[in-house]
């Protein structure tokens, strides 16, 4: 594309071009990942208990992310007077993990494989679900890494141990995570109203050292006080269930719950986190585009991920 | 369903099963209601002045309510550290009042008949509209009861006496209610912007003792101060027009009005009300699912009703 | 409901009342089925290879079926000058099989259990999917019955033996069926364009005695000639994948394929079949309402099932 | 608009301008109608038995009709080698009849008033519903005219005399029409499947001289033979219920019924009718845009009406 | 319409009648504008960089505005205890500027022509877009007027000078405005996140005297402090890009950006502005109804415009 | 992707992976095209006269095309007993031409550039629009090639020479094509009802040797007779406007027209054409996904293109 490429003058409007994440290069060979960030799709949704469709989350978030590809030399944010994601931050899209219909364990194994490849390449893994069960293989992939503290942003506790033999559904991931020797702790933000986790789950989570805060509790404490509760120096894995947000801006999800976070609630937590801690892994799950004809949900997911990545590498550059 | 029932091991996920309200038993014989709460559908919408479709409100709210049927031994709320709607609260769904197309008075009479049957059985009537005109027969059904104070949560005053001969449309119910000898007063919350009620309606309402507060006025006062304005000891009938809420979370309604309540605004009023007063009747109206493909509106209605019922019976148990 | 029931004068318009199939009685106790027809929901969709959502098929078809509850003393069809489904045909809705997320075998077992209960009660089982994999447990449930010939109406051959370990997905059911000793043969109508079945699948199907006809081949032959190819006297199990139809009338499905059947193409085959053979089981699958905001797909499914049931019992009465 | 008007050079693309019917002049003064055709909206839908929303039919059809305002000197049809609706055919839009919520009789009276005004002005009345009950006042308005023969294009017979006191719903219009002394006969085309009319209704209709044909019967006979059954020389009133059409092209309607007419089925009947008989009145009803996000239904309605009007005045010019 | 007009008794419900803005008179002759306010549609959207469709903004806003046509003698607002837009404020709708597909300059010229005609008639021009590029001809039309200060309410700075030769797209209008000798200054509110304007654009804007505030900055300052930054006595032109709002209430737009204004944020700024300054021109742009099936976006636009006009003329009356 | 690629065992379900056309390799360097077929997106829609949105056509068709990526060793069609698009046919996706908002000529030039690059590489160009104006640069790119005969499949004649200065809109392409010295003739199929082309356009087209047939005329003649009218031996360029099809299967388009082709009507013409003539270029235009929430339109486009390509290379192999 030498003589018509962007450098040579393509305007490259958001609606033009193949929908990889943020229109970044697609790397099909997972042994050839050479980047700061690698985005993996995990289009698995057999773990849902209400509306399915999160399997189309990766495609939806990728397409929405092209809306934010205006900037060429990074994205300038006038509030922060900072330019994020300049050419020095190398992001690649490695496509999707292979999903096998009717097969949960096998599909999860393929997701884990992808995240391990990203980690092996020294890149920051950003996995786009799929339902929240895909967090299980994502966390599994960190088994050879230094310990991590998990920050979950979600409406639901997802702390069911087992029901009817189910241990790998979208109600189980946080219970699975806390069992890992290399998961040093957990902060669960946005948790509200009823879910598949019963009272015992809450007690169990707290007993195992989890810090659970509702949307109203987070707001009452304020961003700084919330951040203070997260261990200083801990390596952070962030898992964002889009249903943490108010259905007003994230209706495209399987199990919406009213009373959720608004945009700045979460953005400011992420920005603070990027400054205070090292972020070593991210997943964003439960975007189910079929339920949001306005596409606002995937735009939220893309806008959030790109800003979060900007914050992370901006903070890193300033350390 | 003895050997495959829930007790014997059904997981009973939200998306499984017949859509009665909260998957509670359907009682077809209205002379055999034996419950604490009886839910009646009132699928009438000939009283609307803009977009119709609230006739499908009862079905939509019933289906959405199944999303909240996760809990088996009640719903645990970690913010309140309380378990709501345990097995001791008996809820039944008695189906819908018979609606006769083109016939308003006759349809209303059938709704009134159903609410009277519920009251006769000693259960708390919860009527799901339909448009707001269905509040007229609901209030009529209380004619033999002790006096009630009506708390209306709504964008519009609905206080038109008569226009073009119309006295039973969705702009008239509060005017009809105040005329009743057994309606001792009225609190109207969320009222904003223009509607079919002209200035005279407001003056008339206030003259008859109504307390009218806008969304901004409610927020400025705060929940406690608002609750203080409601007579202590009064038996409360609550009528919730879903358009009281911001269209961001309740777009599926006939006459949306921007600047409405958010979820916690109303939830906290209802929770306070349940603690301070006896709630003797509820209706929730104007959910018109055709205008909200995300289904957020009916999810809001179901989430609100189930929480409100939880608050009522939890408070009752603690008295 | 003695004094306000239909007999006593309810108009009972389609939009009024709880959405069981055709507003027929709900029988929760599967040991107490006493009916000619029993409808079972099988809201399982982990077997899909493209768009999920067929888990909401049973609810959607039930709700759509209420549109056809106008008739009181049966449904009069002026073209046939016949009244179908009069009071003598007893239909019940037994709700849904229990579905376990992430668990295919277990969920299928619960479906099989329900169909077996219906067969044990001597009723005609009508199972509403769910994806086409739910045909597997439906056919399994016939293991103790006299041999059956399967008539499949579908866009896809669904004859994959195994790929990546998958044997119970929605591409496998016809292969699973033909393996049964009690499946005497198979007629596959509407098959067209590409699918997950490769050339070998077609050869295998034909080698095992299947008769495969495309939409154009069916039309060229004509209804009578097609019916002639089905063994006289065979007991017929009919499995209808809604994607057999043109997406113009059945867009609400996971894997639509253009060039499908129109309404009368299939209606007339079903009517002929009801006259020529005994129909001993039915399933209708792959209605995924999220993709058809017009609701036409579920209306098609309901209209088809009710007509088919009418034809079956009308023919039976005339034998 | 002298110096920027069309004559002076406006391109006037379809998406530009106020949405009157076909962008024709709006005549607010009903005593000043001076035209060949006058279009009246009748946004009444309290007569529906399933999905409401036909009250937005007039607005939807008007907006869709602007798509066909390309032509300036009439619309050239290459198949007929004819130019339709040239400047010599004067069409006006007189807006909507006043509708009173909860009031059927009063609303109908306002519709009748409008049609009478059109007839008094010597123009052809084209009434856009609204549900099919609006045909009742349309026919009433012909009481002082020469006898008319009604040609109904519809899925449903709409021949219910009275049920639960309802005589003016959308299931009653054809029964109401046949009672009129000035209705000399009736041809009912497209009638199929079940509806609110029971067997007795069909017998009654036939007894009163109605000719009832299903979609398949019409197709089998062919357009010419169908036209032959309509009395030569009769003055024809045509009432088109959009649900006569297949839901594939008319999903935006209250009570869709599969197996309906396709476009040319009806177009050719209307073209033949325009040649053979004098058409003295038209209504088109039951377009409910909320159920068809593609807008195809209202485009069908507009395309059909404009072609029909073209045929009528072209035939008139050649007589 | 003498004997059936509103004065003579039309109820004139919102869903009844031709959709001009607020059902006000349509004035086709632009040399005969005699009004206080004239509304012009500018259905141009070739300037968009993501989702098109704002060309249908004028029709959508007009239709939504009919919802607010309840009031007859003006609209009573109980919060302000004021009646807005009584009979003394004369509003007309002059239809749309002529748009030429593929031709930007020519289409813009036609918009400018319309605004000039309104100004020549001494009316307040209210232009409904169309994409934000239509602000360019709107501002051009003020070339012969006294200087204006532009208040922009928007998510994006729209301050691109030129890219790839594009100077008249929806990313350019504020840059074009500031170049005018008669634009004395600019206040840009709601600006956030990335857009087509790079860092240099912000610096350029500030260098030319623009005051740029984000949503969070506006909220932190408060309405009064924001208003204080706008020059006292300046004649104000207000340009509202609907994407200034949170996608939760304005999803129907081309380039949504999370974190936007809520309703009262903007309403109170507009109300304060109407009291403090003279408002001499308004445009509202980027409503693209195809992306918001709930119609909330156009309802927001209409509700905002009608309230703003009410504030302006109420303040004027009190001066 | 060596150790997890398809050969090594990926199942690669349709919903998995980056959405290039048919999941074929993306070739960013237009000087390195080495393939039999190269697919180019042309997301330009400023040429539309009614609903815009075709700029999202390329993305929509690409995503839908993944549904047909089941087959691994080509796609087996049991009706033809043929395997299409086996590994020997090399297809690549070269992404989109650069589009400049507000700039028609410049955007068209970029499309022409891409098609020229494909032709230079000796591959078959398949351009996905975008509106029909993108056919203009596609045809321009053939200026150095042997003469071509254009087969247009469309509802509209698109033969406007110039109106209001517009010569490059979506109503002009066929007029532009016929002017080329290397366009030897034209066959226009599916043309019906009104459009922006007036009577003179038809006469002009015929005078210049065009063969115009409506849908009904094509059906009456039959596929073979239609094919006979196309010059034997001519090199064929096929331009498919998706609105040639019935809105029942192609509602997602800007200017739908009822009475269009059904699937087999066109499929069989394309199959015949592939056998009889050499096809040297293809474009498929006017897929506007925003208007078809069912996604049927883009599925039709993808299914048609893949079958057509299969026919072309199958026929070529047999020559």
């Amino acid at each position: 594309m030498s003589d018509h490429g962007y450098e040579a003058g393509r305007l490259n409007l958001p609606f033009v071009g193949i929908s990889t994440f943020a229109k970044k290069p697609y790397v099909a060979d997972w042994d050839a990942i050479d980047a700061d960030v690698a985005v993996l799709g995990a289009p698995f949704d057999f773990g849902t208990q209400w509306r399915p469709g999160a399997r189309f989350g990766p495609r939806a978030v990728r397409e929405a992310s092209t809306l934010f590809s205006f900037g060429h030399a990074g994205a300038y944010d006038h509030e922060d007077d900072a330019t994020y994601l300049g050419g020095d931050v190398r992001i690649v899209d490695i496509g999707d993990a292979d999903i096998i219909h009717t097969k949960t364990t096998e599909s999860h194994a393929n997701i884990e494989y992808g995240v391990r490849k990203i980690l092996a390449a020294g890149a920051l893994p950003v996995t786009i679900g799929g339902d929240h069960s895909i967090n299980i293989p994502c966390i599994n992939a960190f088994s050879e890494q230094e310990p991590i503290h998990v920050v979950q942003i979600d409406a639901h506790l997802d702390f069911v141990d087992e029901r009817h033999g189910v241990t790998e559904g979208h109600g189980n991931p946080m219970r699975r995570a806390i069992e890992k020797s290399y998961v040093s702790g957990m902060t669960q933000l946005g948790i509200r109203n009823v879910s598949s986790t019963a009272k015992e789950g809450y007690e169990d989570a707290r007993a195992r050292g989890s810090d659970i805060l509702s949307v109203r509790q987070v707001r009452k404490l304020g961003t700084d006080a919330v951040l203070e509760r997260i261990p200083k120096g801990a390596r952070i894995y962030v898992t964002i269930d889009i249903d943490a947000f108010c259905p007003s801006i994230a209706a495209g999800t399987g199990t919406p719950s009213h009373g959720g976070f608004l945009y700045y609630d979460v953005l400011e937590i992420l920005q603070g986190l990027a400054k205070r801690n090292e972020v070593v892994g991210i997943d964003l799950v439960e975007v189910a585009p079929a339920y949001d004809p306005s596409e606002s949900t995937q735009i939220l997911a893309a806008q959030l991920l790109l800003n979060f990545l900007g914050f992370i590498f901006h903070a890193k550059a300033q350390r």
Side-chain angles (χ1 to χ4, degrees), chain A:
Chain A
M1 208 152 51
S2 48
D3 55 353
H4 73 292
Y6 172 65
E7 299 70 19
R10 273 177 79 94
L11 178 58
N12 207 8
L13 288 173
F15 64 80
V16 171
I18 301 292
S19 295
T20 55
F21 185 76
K23 295 197 194 166
K24 297 295 178 183
Y26 169 52
V27 174
D29 181 354
W30 292 5
D31 290 319
I33 300 169
D34 180 20
D36 299 300
V37 179
V39 176
L40 171 70
F44 173 91
D45 63 3
F46 322 153
T48 48
Q49 296 169 288
W50 177 237
R51 305 189 297 195
R55 68 178 61 180
F56 286 103
R59 286 197 182 160
V61 176
R62 280 182 180 113
E63 184 171 346
S65 73
T66 64
L67 171 55
F68 302 101
S69 63
F70 276 109
H72 302 120
Y76 177 69
D77 186 305
H78 79 94
E79 290 189 80
D80 298 344
D81 190 21
T83 296
Y84 294 117
L85 299 179
D88 54 316
V89 182
R90 298 162 309 145
I91 301 176
V92 296
D93 187 328
I94 68 165
D96 289 347
D98 201 40
I99 302 300
I100 317 295
H101 56 305
T102 77
K103 300 283 179 186
T104 298
T105 307
E106 293 79 348
S107 301
H108 279 182
N110 290 337
I111 296 166
E112 182 180 335
Y113 177 87
V115 179
R116 284 187 182 278
K117 283 288 184 187
I118 296 171
L119 289 171
L124 175 71
V126 176
T127 309
I128 304 175
D131 69 47
H132 214 158
S133 76
I134 68 99
N135 171 265
I136 299 174
C138 289
I139 295 295
N140 286 349
F142 278 78
S143 65
E144 311 300 318
Q145 310 289 317
E146 293 297 300
I148 54 176
H149 179 95
V150 175
V151 174
Q152 175 201 15
I153 296 174
D154 200 337
H156 310 98
L157 201 69
D158 294 348
F159 213 87
V160 175
D161 184 4
E162 181 273 335
R163 279 203 307 156
H164 281 246
V166 177
T167 56
E168 296 177 307
H170 77 163
N172 308 100
M174 292 303 109
R175 186 57 163 74
R176 289 294 82 78
I178 207 79
E179 294 167 356
K180 299 292 183 288
S181 59
Y182 52 90
V183 171
S184 57
M186 199 171 286
T187 304
Q188 303 185 275
L189 307 174
I191 315 305
R192 61 190 184 273
N193 214 45
V194 305
S195 77
S196 55
T197 306
K199 183 177 185 176
E200 294 67 32
Y202 287 87
E203 291 167 349
D204 188 10
R206 288 203 171 97
R208 289 163 182 264
S210 175
D211 188 22
I212 304 172
L213 293 172
S214 73
V215 169
R216 287 183 289 185
Q217 288 163 344
V218 165
R219 286 179 181 159
K220 203 170 169 190
L221 284 167
T223 305
D224 289 343
V226 168
L227 289 168
E228 280 303 313
R229 298 163 74 115
I230 296 169
K232 221 160 228 164
R235 289 159 35 91
I236 304 292
Y237 184 96
V238 179
T239 179
I240 302 170
D241 186 324
I242 204 75
D243 69 21
F245 288 90
C246 179
S248 66
I249 51 174
T253 193
T255 49
S257 177
H258 285 279
F261 285 125
L262 296 179
Y263 179 64
Y264 294 119
D265 289 329
V266 173
L267 188 77
E268 294 176 4
I269 288 172
L270 296 179
Q271 188 163 16
L273 205 53
K275 284 181 186 156
R276 284 178 86 260
N277 293 72
E278 188 190 4
V279 176
V280 299
I282 299 169
D283 63 55
L284 186 151
V285 300
E286 299 283 1
V287 173
Y291 307 104
D292 184 357
S294 75
E295 303 176 349
S296 291
T297 310
Q298 50 261 44
I299 291 172
L300 173 64
Q303 187 172 341
L304 206 70
L305 282 177
L306 282 163
N307 277 286
F308 191 20
L309 290 173
F311 298 150
I312 290 170
F313 287 91
H314 191 258
K316 199 169 266 183
Q318 306 207 319
R319 272 191 198 116

